[in-house]
Amino acid sequence: MQTAEQTTANAAQEAWKKRPLIISGPCSAETEEQVLATAQRLAATGRVNMLRAGIWKPRTKPGMFEGIGAKGLPWLQQAKKLTGLPTTVEVATGKQVEDALTFDVDVLWVGARTTVNPFSVQEVADALRGVNVPVLIKNPINPDLELWAGAVERIARAGIKDIGLIHRGFSSYGNTEFRNAPMWHLAIEMKLKHPHMPIINDPSHICGRRDILQEVMQRAIDLDYDGLMIESHIDPDNAWSDAKQQITPERLKEMLEAIIWRKEDSNSAEYHAALEKLRQQINHLDDELMQILSQRMKIAEKIGQYKKDNNITILQTNRWNEIIEKAFAKGDKTGLSKEFITKYFDAVHMESINHQKKVMDA
Ligand code: PEP
Ligand code: MN
C-alpha cells in the first residue's frame, strides 16, 4: 500500500519525465476559487502535466500586487487533490522554499530576477540541502550565460539531482516585438552546455502578449525543447499580474493542438530528424542575424542624421580601419577567416553608407 504522500510524489516524478512537459497556470494565485477553477479547466484539456502559480511575486515597482503569499499554498494543495496535477511555484528565499515544501509543492522554480543574484540563489540552494525536489532555473533577466550556469551549479552543489532550465527571454533596451527578447542562440548554447538537463520554453514572458505566443511555442518545439510553461487564467483580462499575456485554459488547448509536433519516431528517420534540427537552428540564427543587422542599420541612420545636422562627411576612414582591425584581432577566437571578415564588413559597410546617405539626402 502506498501512502497518499507517496502517490503524489510518484505523480510528480512521472510528470517531470513527461515529454513534452506542459506546465500551465496563472501568473499569480489570486483567490482560492481562481486557483481551483484554473486547475480544473487545465486538467480538463487533457494536455497539461503540471500546475504553476506565483505565490510570491517579485514586481518591478512597489505598490503592485506582490503575490498572495503563503496563504495561497493550501489552495494549490487543494487543486492538486482535485485534479491530480502536480504543482510548481517560484521561490526566491530560504523561507519560501520551506513554506512551499511544507505544502507539498512538487517542483520549485527560480525566477529570472533571482537567477541574477548569487546571494539569493545561494540562500535557496542552502534551504534545499538534503531535499529531493526537482528545481527549474529560469535564465537571468540579462543575457549572461555564466550567471545562468552559476545558478545551476549552486543548486546542483546543494545535492539537487533533477534540475531543468527555463528559457524566458532576456530584457533588452528599446522597443522590440517581445517583452523579453528570446535570443534563441543563447538558450541553444546553454542547452549544449547542459545536454542532460531538460529545457522548457516560457513563451508567456518572452512575448508579453497573446498574439505572438503561438509562433514562439512553435519555434521552441522546432528547436526540440522538452516542454513549455505558459501562463493561463480563467479571466485573463482581469488578472492581477501579467494580464496581457495570459490565455484561458481552453485557448491553451487550442494552441497546443495547433502546434506541429515534430517527431523522430522511426529509426530510418532519425538521421533526417537530426539534420532537420540542425537546419532549424541555423534558420533561427539566420533570422536573428537579419534582425541584428536591421538594428545596426537603424543606428547608422541615426548617425546619418547627426552627421547631416553637424555637416560631417559620411566616410570616415580612421573609424572604419579601427573596426576592421578589431574584428581581425578577434578573428582567431571566433574561428572566422580574414577573407570572410573583410567581405562581411565591406558588405555591411556599403549597406550602412547607403542607409546614411538616404537620411542625409532626405
Ligand atoms: C513568472 O513566471 O510569473 C515570473 C515572474 O517570471 P520571470 O521570473 O520569468 O519574470
Ligand atoms: Mn508572470
Side-chain angles (χ1 to χ4, degrees):
M1 269 284 284
Q2 283 194 330
T3 64
E5 216 164 81
Q6 277 169 338
T7 315
T8 56
N10 290 349
Q13 290 270 310
E14 252 171 59
W16 177 256
K17 287 190 212 125
K18 275 255 163 64
R19 296 294 177 269
L21 170 59
I22 306 293
I23 305 171
S24 188
C27 178
S28 303
E30 299 165 5
T31 65
E32 181 167 14
E33 296 68 37
Q34 171 241 12
V35 170
L36 298 186
T38 315
Q40 281 172 313
R41 284 166 56 177
L42 285 172
T45 68
R47 293 188 168 263
V48 172
N49 316 111
M50 198 175 285
L51 175 69
R52 65 149 278 156
I55 292 288
W56 302 279
K57 302 300 296 180
R59 304 308 298 277
T60 304
K61 292 202 173 139
M64 297 165 99
F65 174 59
E66 295 195 318
I68 207 74
K71 173 181 157 191
L73 291 170
W75 309 341
L76 284 177
Q77 209 172 21
Q78 183 64 15
K80 172 161 52 172
K81 215 165 154 192
L82 279 175
T83 62
L85 288 175
T87 56
T88 179
V89 304
E90 173 179 352
V91 289
T93 67
K95 177 78 169 76
Q96 290 172 5
V97 171
E98 259 175 52
D99 286 350
L101 294 176
T102 304
F103 285 91
D104 303 324
V105 171
D106 299 286
V107 171
L108 305 178
W109 93 76
V110 176
R113 288 165 191 76
T114 304
T115 308
V116 289
N117 185 340
F119 287 139
S120 300
V121 176
Q122 193 56 52
E123 186 185 322
V124 167
D126 290 341
L128 285 169
R129 218 167 274 285
V131 179
N132 179 19
V133 65
V135 179
L136 291 161
I137 303 173
K138 286 203 178 195
N139 67 256
I141 42 184
N142 55 323
D144 183 340
L145 290 190
E146 286 300 296
L147 210 45
W148 198 359
V152 168
E153 202 178 319
R154 284 177 200 277
I155 301 295
R157 283 190 186 191
I160 296 296
K161 298 272 177 300
D162 293 324
I163 299 180
L165 306 167
I166 302 180
H167 170 216
R168 53 77 80 193
F170 302 88
S171 131
S172 59
Y173 192 69
N175 286 339
T176 76
E177 65 180 309
F178 301 107
R179 176 178 175 193
N180 291 291
M183 304 191 190
W184 296 99
H185 58 287
L186 291 185
I188 291 168
E189 197 178 324
M190 187 68 181
K191 170 73 183 159
L192 292 175
K193 282 188 181 152
H194 300 87
H196 303 298
M197 280 182 199
I199 182 162
I200 311 272
N201 188 258
D202 171 350
S204 303
H205 292 89
I206 288 178
C207 298
R209 50 193 256 210
R210 295 172 198 134
D211 59 327
I212 52 172
L213 279 175
Q214 185 85 55
E215 59 190 90
V216 170
M217 279 156 92
Q218 184 67 56
R219 270 193 174 217
I221 297 308
D222 291 346
L223 287 168
D224 202 29
Y225 277 60
D226 299 285
L228 301 167
M229 181 193 254
I230 304 150
E231 287 185 344
S232 56
H233 196 283
I234 48 169
D235 182 7
D237 286 335
N238 292 306
W240 297 2
S241 59
D242 287 354
K244 286 204 188 96
Q245 69 198 32
Q246 302 202 62
I247 51 175
T248 62
E250 295 71 29
R251 180 73 191 117
L252 174 70
K253 180 172 193 244
E254 284 171 9
M255 291 180 106
L256 291 172
E257 281 168 2
I259 291 180
I260 303 159
W261 301 95
R262 297 178 207 276
K263 276 198 204 134
E264 13 168 352
D265 50 3
S266 91
N267 275 347
S268 64
E270 213 168 86
Y271 159 80
H272 291 287
L275 195 65
E276 178 60 18
K277 247 180 257 163
L278 293 172
R279 286 189 174 141
Q280 290 282 356
Q281 292 183 6
I282 284 189
N283 290 348
H284 293 305
L285 290 174
D286 280 344
D287 268 7
E288 216 146 282
L289 278 174
M290 287 300 131
Q291 277 183 24
I292 290 173
L293 282 172
S294 143
Q295 277 175 15
R296 189 193 191 284
M297 294 310 155
K298 292 207 178 86
I299 295 177
E301 286 168 15
K302 279 194 194 156
I303 293 182
Q305 189 60 47
Y306 179 85
K307 287 181 179 170
K308 181 181 185 178
D309 295 345
N310 294 281
N311 250 333
I312 307 172
T313 59
I314 291 189
L315 187 63
Q316 290 175 293
T317 340
N318 287 351
R319 160 88 182 127
W320 190 244
N321 289 342
E322 198 183 294
I323 291 182
I324 294 264
E325 284 309 319
K326 265 200 196 141
F328 281 163
K330 282 189 200 147
D332 280 349
K333 270 198 213 145
T334 55
L336 302 171
S337 69
K338 264 195 173 172
E339 191 196 353
F340 172 77
I341 293 174
T342 312
K343 275 191 191 155
Y344 164 81
F345 274 104
D346 277 347
V348 169
H349 192 207
M350 273 320 295
E351 183 71 11
S352 202
I353 286 180
N354 290 340
H355 279 255
Q356 287 193 16
K357 199 163 163 350
K358 213 169 59 196
V359 173
M360 295 178 85
D361 292 348

